[in-house]
Amino acid sequence: MYLSWTAGRLDRLHARIDAARAALDAQLVRRASVAMELATSSQLDPAASLLLLDAAHAARQAEDEQREVAESQLSLALRAVFAEPEQVAALVAAPGGEDAVRDLTAAVRRVPMARRFHNDAVRAARAVREHRLVRYFRLAGKAPFPLAFEMDDAPPVALTPEGAPA
Protein backbone atom coordinates (compact mmCIF):
# COMPACT_ATOMS: atom_id res chain seq x y z
CA MET A 1 0.00 0.00 0.00
CA TYR A 2 2.87 2.36 0.84
CA LEU A 3 4.55 1.66 -2.49
CA SER A 4 1.32 2.31 -4.37
CA TRP A 5 0.76 5.60 -2.54
CA THR A 6 4.37 6.66 -3.17
CA ALA A 7 4.15 5.78 -6.87
CA GLY A 8 0.95 7.83 -7.16
CA ARG A 9 2.56 10.75 -5.35
CA LEU A 10 5.58 10.60 -7.63
CA ASP A 11 3.32 10.53 -10.67
CA ARG A 12 1.47 13.62 -9.42
CA LEU A 13 4.79 15.38 -8.80
CA HIS A 14 5.92 14.64 -12.34
CA ALA A 15 2.63 15.99 -13.68
CA ARG A 16 3.14 19.10 -11.54
CA ILE A 17 6.62 19.53 -13.03
CA ASP A 18 5.19 19.27 -16.54
CA ALA A 19 2.54 21.88 -15.78
CA ALA A 20 5.05 24.20 -14.12
CA ARG A 21 7.44 23.83 -17.05
CA ALA A 22 4.67 24.71 -19.49
CA ALA A 23 3.82 27.80 -17.43
CA LEU A 24 7.50 28.78 -17.28
CA ASP A 25 7.84 28.36 -21.05
CA ALA A 26 4.76 30.52 -21.58
CA GLN A 27 6.16 33.29 -19.37
CA LEU A 28 9.56 33.16 -21.06
CA VAL A 29 7.97 33.38 -24.50
CA ARG A 30 5.76 36.25 -23.31
CA ARG A 31 8.77 38.15 -21.96
CA ALA A 32 10.72 37.65 -25.19
CA SER A 33 7.69 38.68 -27.28
CA VAL A 34 7.15 41.86 -25.31
CA ALA A 35 10.86 42.67 -25.56
CA MET A 36 10.80 42.09 -29.33
CA GLU A 37 7.69 44.23 -29.70
CA LEU A 38 9.30 47.03 -27.74
CA ALA A 39 12.56 46.73 -29.69
CA THR A 40 10.75 47.05 -33.02
CA SER A 41 8.46 49.87 -31.90
CA SER A 42 11.05 52.63 -32.59
CA GLN A 43 10.49 53.99 -29.09
CA LEU A 44 14.03 53.07 -28.03
CA ASP A 45 17.29 54.35 -29.45
CA PRO A 46 18.73 52.19 -32.27
CA ALA A 47 21.52 50.63 -30.20
CA ALA A 48 19.17 49.60 -27.41
CA SER A 49 16.65 48.30 -29.94
CA LEU A 50 19.28 46.17 -31.66
CA LEU A 51 20.61 44.78 -28.37
CA LEU A 52 17.13 43.93 -27.12
CA LEU A 53 15.97 42.50 -30.44
CA ASP A 54 19.03 40.28 -30.78
CA ALA A 55 18.71 38.91 -27.23
CA ALA A 56 14.94 38.37 -27.52
CA HIS A 57 15.28 36.63 -30.87
CA ALA A 58 18.03 34.36 -29.51
CA ALA A 59 15.84 33.49 -26.51
CA ARG A 60 12.87 32.63 -28.74
CA GLN A 61 14.94 30.48 -31.10
CA ALA A 62 17.13 28.70 -28.52
CA GLU A 63 17.13 24.92 -28.33
CA ASP A 64 16.43 23.28 -24.96
CA GLU A 65 20.15 22.82 -24.20
CA GLN A 66 20.87 26.52 -24.79
CA ARG A 67 17.64 27.98 -23.41
CA GLU A 68 18.91 28.85 -19.94
CA VAL A 69 21.88 30.77 -21.35
CA ALA A 70 19.77 32.57 -23.96
CA GLU A 71 17.17 33.60 -21.37
CA SER A 72 19.94 34.83 -19.06
CA GLN A 73 21.31 36.90 -21.94
CA LEU A 74 17.87 38.44 -22.43
CA SER A 75 17.79 39.34 -18.73
CA LEU A 76 21.19 41.01 -19.08
CA ALA A 77 20.03 42.92 -22.16
CA LEU A 78 16.88 44.11 -20.37
CA ARG A 79 18.97 45.30 -17.42
CA ALA A 80 21.36 47.10 -19.80
CA VAL A 81 18.59 48.83 -21.75
CA PHE A 82 16.54 49.77 -18.68
CA ALA A 83 19.40 50.52 -16.31
CA GLU A 84 18.18 53.98 -15.36
CA PRO A 85 14.71 55.04 -14.19
CA GLU A 86 15.01 58.06 -16.51
CA GLN A 87 15.01 55.73 -19.53
CA VAL A 88 11.79 54.14 -18.35
CA ALA A 89 10.26 57.55 -17.63
CA ALA A 90 11.13 58.72 -21.16
CA LEU A 91 9.57 55.58 -22.60
CA VAL A 92 6.41 56.08 -20.53
CA ALA A 93 6.17 59.64 -21.83
CA ALA A 94 6.26 58.45 -25.45
CA PRO A 95 2.96 57.64 -27.21
CA GLY A 96 2.02 54.05 -26.37
CA GLY A 97 5.00 53.78 -24.06
CA GLU A 98 2.98 53.41 -20.89
CA ASP A 99 1.30 50.24 -22.18
CA ALA A 100 4.63 48.85 -23.38
CA VAL A 101 6.28 49.46 -20.01
CA ARG A 102 3.30 47.94 -18.18
CA ASP A 103 3.43 44.81 -20.36
CA LEU A 104 7.20 44.47 -19.98
CA THR A 105 7.06 44.99 -16.23
CA ALA A 106 4.40 42.30 -15.85
CA ALA A 107 6.34 39.87 -18.05
CA VAL A 108 9.61 40.51 -16.22
CA ARG A 109 7.96 39.98 -12.81
CA ARG A 110 6.22 36.74 -13.76
CA VAL A 111 9.32 34.90 -14.98
CA PRO A 112 10.98 34.55 -11.52
CA MET A 113 7.70 33.33 -10.01
CA ALA A 114 7.16 30.74 -12.74
CA ARG A 115 10.78 29.59 -12.41
CA ARG A 116 10.43 29.31 -8.63
CA PHE A 117 7.26 27.18 -8.97
CA HIS A 118 9.02 24.91 -11.48
CA ASN A 119 12.13 24.53 -9.35
CA ASP A 120 10.05 23.84 -6.23
CA ALA A 121 8.25 21.04 -8.06
CA VAL A 122 11.58 19.64 -9.24
CA ARG A 123 12.97 19.77 -5.70
CA ALA A 124 9.94 17.92 -4.31
CA ALA A 125 10.15 15.20 -6.98
CA ARG A 126 13.87 14.78 -6.40
CA ALA A 127 13.31 14.38 -2.67
CA VAL A 128 10.84 11.55 -3.27
CA ARG A 129 13.02 9.94 -5.93
CA GLU A 130 15.99 9.85 -3.56
CA HIS A 131 14.20 7.50 -1.13
CA ARG A 132 15.75 4.07 -1.10
CA LEU A 133 12.48 2.19 -1.71
CA VAL A 134 11.64 4.39 -4.68
CA ARG A 135 15.00 3.56 -6.26
CA TYR A 136 14.90 -0.17 -5.41
CA PHE A 137 11.41 -0.70 -6.79
CA ARG A 138 11.93 1.77 -9.65
CA LEU A 139 8.74 3.62 -8.83
CA ALA A 140 9.75 6.51 -11.08
CA GLY A 141 9.49 4.21 -14.09
CA LYS A 142 11.09 5.65 -17.21
CA ALA A 143 10.46 9.26 -16.28
CA PRO A 144 13.60 11.36 -16.77
CA PHE A 145 15.27 12.76 -13.68
CA PRO A 146 13.82 16.26 -13.21
CA LEU A 147 16.19 19.15 -13.79
CA ALA A 148 15.84 22.63 -12.39
CA PHE A 149 15.78 25.62 -14.74
CA GLU A 150 18.67 27.84 -13.70
CA MET A 151 18.92 31.26 -15.24
CA ASP A 152 19.58 34.88 -14.38
CA ASP A 153 16.08 36.30 -14.00
CA ALA A 154 16.79 39.46 -12.03
CA PRO A 155 14.57 42.26 -13.38
CA PRO A 156 15.92 45.67 -14.31
CA VAL A 157 15.91 47.88 -11.24
CA ALA A 158 14.00 50.58 -13.12
CA LEU A 159 11.09 48.14 -13.67
CA THR A 160 10.77 47.14 -10.01
CA PRO A 161 8.62 49.02 -7.49
CA GLU A 162 11.78 50.16 -5.66
CA GLY A 163 13.36 51.64 -8.78
CA ALA A 164 10.29 52.88 -10.62
CA PRO A 165 10.32 56.54 -11.55
CA ALA A 166 8.27 58.76 -9.27
Side-chain angles (χ1 to χ4, degrees):
M1 196 159 127
Y2 173 76
L3 291 176
S4 176
W5 177 81
T6 303
R9 178 170 182 235
L10 194 55
D11 186 51
R12 288 188 302 276
L13 285 170
H14 282 256
R16 187 172 132 203
I17 289 171
D18 291 342
R21 181 59 186 235
L24 175 61
D25 285 341
Q27 293 305 324
L28 291 172
V29 167
R30 183 171 185 260
R31 180 180 75 154
S33 297
V34 170
M36 286 179 84
E37 184 179 311
L38 187 59
T40 58
S41 70
S42 72
Q43 294 177 342
L44 299 174
D45 65 271
S49 292
L50 188 59
L51 176 69
L52 201 55
L53 185 62
D54 185 44
H57 180 70
R60 294 274 307 263
Q61 300 299 321
E63 297 292 326
D64 286 341
E65 302 84 35
Q66 304 299 321
R67 184 101 187 257
E68 293 172 351
V69 174
E71 293 294 346
S72 294
Q73 293 296 327
L74 178 55
S75 295
L76 289 172
L78 285 167
R79 284 198 303 269
V81 171
F82 299 106
E84 301 295 326
E86 294 80 24
Q87 293 168 321
V88 176
L91 185 58
V92 167
E98 188 174 347
D99 292 336
V101 169
R102 187 177 337 106
D103 292 345
L104 183 62
T105 301
V108 165
R109 286 183 185 168
R110 288 180 179 150
V111 168
M113 288 187 291
R115 190 175 74 86
R116 191 173 318 120
F117 289 141
H118 175 266
N119 289 347
D120 287 346
V122 166
R123 196 173 7 266
R126 282 181 172 181
V128 172
R129 287 181 72 144
E130 289 174 357
H131 290 281
R132 192 174 302 156
L133 287 175
V134 171
R135 287 193 320 261
Y136 287 159
F137 289 103
R138 296 186 178 133
L139 297 181
K142 296 185 189 266
F145 193 73
L147 298 174
F149 194 88
E150 297 300 332
M151 65 173 270
D152 175 7
D153 60 3
V157 174
L159 296 178
T160 61
E162 299 83 31

